[in-house]
Amino acid sequence: MDGNGRWAQRQGKARSEGHRAGSEALRRAVEAVLERGIPYLTVYAFSSENWNRPSVEVKQLLDLFMKALTRDIRELDEHGVRVCFIGDREAFSRPLRDGMRRAERRTAANVKLRLNVAVNYGGRADLTRAARQLADKVQRGELTPEQINQEAFGRELFMSDIPEPDLLIRTGGEQRLSNFLLWQLAYTELFFSDVLWPDFNADHVTQALTDFASRERRFGGLGQVQNA
Ligand code: IPE
Ligand code: MG
């Protein structure tokens, strides 16, 4: 969800206004995804590198996040959305951590849409955490080094219980992954949009899905080509 700051700047508003508009765009995106019956949505809300921003902006982002946890969770719950958080939440304040835990518990039984919110998330940290967990298991004698294969590794990552993403959408014109789901995106189709996140709407979701539908996914194989 990129481009909140530029959106605000273009309108002569403070960056915090951009983030507020961005949170509205997220509500719309969740609605659009629900309407289309898509079962999984993962959003990059706060990266482990976002701490490098001025402390006022970090505070504004976290306040917005707290507000969403109290205001939006009821609505998400009513719509059958299960909310999960991925990333290192230890860095957050007690109230924020409690809010996340409450949101996860409250929505745990919902099955219409699984909404994963990446907070203080980094793809490399995800991989490093997996390596550490495997090392712990080996040290405890629960696993031998030979048993470490791609499946075993993948099981230690965040979201190992759901399929890898089919489509990644990045708004705001930048064409890079910026340390998002590095392992999980190995065969994901990438869609880059110049639209700034606060302007992203249901039509843009449709555009991305239409484009996705035209892609031929071969996963390293030959796809529909005849194997003559
Ligand atoms: C993304 O918008 C929102 C978050 C990082 C939470 P930016 O704040 O990165 O917006 P730009 O890139 O400065 O326009
Ligand atoms: Mg940005």
Side-chain angles (χ1 to χ4, degrees), residues 49-107:
E49 285 72 37
N50 285 150
W51 296 109
N52 296 329
R53 295 189 176 196
S55 59
V56 253
E57 182 167 345
V58 170
K59 188 177 177 305
Q60 283 160 351
L61 279 167
L62 298 183
D63 285 349
L64 202 58
F65 188 35
M66 193 67 216
K67 223 180 273 169
L69 276 176
T70 42
R71 188 194 58 177
D72 296 333
I73 285 299
R74 168 199 288 269
E75 199 179 331
L76 289 166
D77 189 27
E78 281 164 4
H79 284 91
V81 179
R82 175 178 173 192
V83 182
C84 298
F85 296 94
I86 64 165
D88 177 15
R89 45 180 102 181
E90 291 311 304
F92 295 116
S93 69
R94 179 97 249 169
L96 212 47
R97 276 171 9 228
D98 287 348
M100 288 190 255
R101 208 189 47 225
R102 269 200 307 275
E104 285 179 332
R105 284 211 191 131
R106 173 172 181 162
T107 63

Side-chain angles (χ1 to χ4, degrees), residues 110-172:
N110 294 343
V111 293
K112 182 124 199 290
L113 169 67
R114 163 94 169 254
L115 173 63
N116 304 297
V117 184
V119 289
N120 194 22
Y121 176 88
R124 288 181 177 175
D126 195 356
L127 294 166
T128 320
R129 177 175 160 272
R132 199 179 316 119
Q133 285 169 187
L134 286 169
D136 274 345
K137 285 187 178 169
V138 170
Q139 197 171 42
R140 288 198 300 266
E142 294 167 18
L143 198 71
T144 67
E146 292 70 33
Q147 285 171 320
I148 300 178
N149 54 23
Q150 293 187 26
E151 284 68 39
F153 198 100
R155 273 198 295 275
E156 302 297 331
L157 297 167
F158 286 116
M159 306 197 295
S160 60
D161 59 322
I162 60 172
E164 288 168 5
D166 288 315
L167 173 66
L168 169 94
I169 301 173
R170 179 172 185 153
T171 60

Side-chain angles (χ1 to χ4, degrees), residues 1-7 15 19 44-46 50 53 57 61 174 196:
M1 302 185 286
D2 198 13
N4 294 353
R6 279 163 286 166
W7 181 91
R15 288 182 62 86
H19 294 314
Y44 208 177
F46 192 88
N50 285 150
R53 295 189 176 196
E57 182 167 345
L61 279 167
E174 241 63 86
L196 301 174

Side-chain angles (χ1 to χ4, degrees), residues 166-170 176-177 180 185 188-192:
D166 288 315
L167 173 66
L168 169 94
I169 301 173
R170 179 172 185 153
R176 53 176 170 256
L177 297 180
F180 199 36
L185 294 177
T188 300
E189 296 294 328
L190 308 180
F191 183 86
F192 296 103

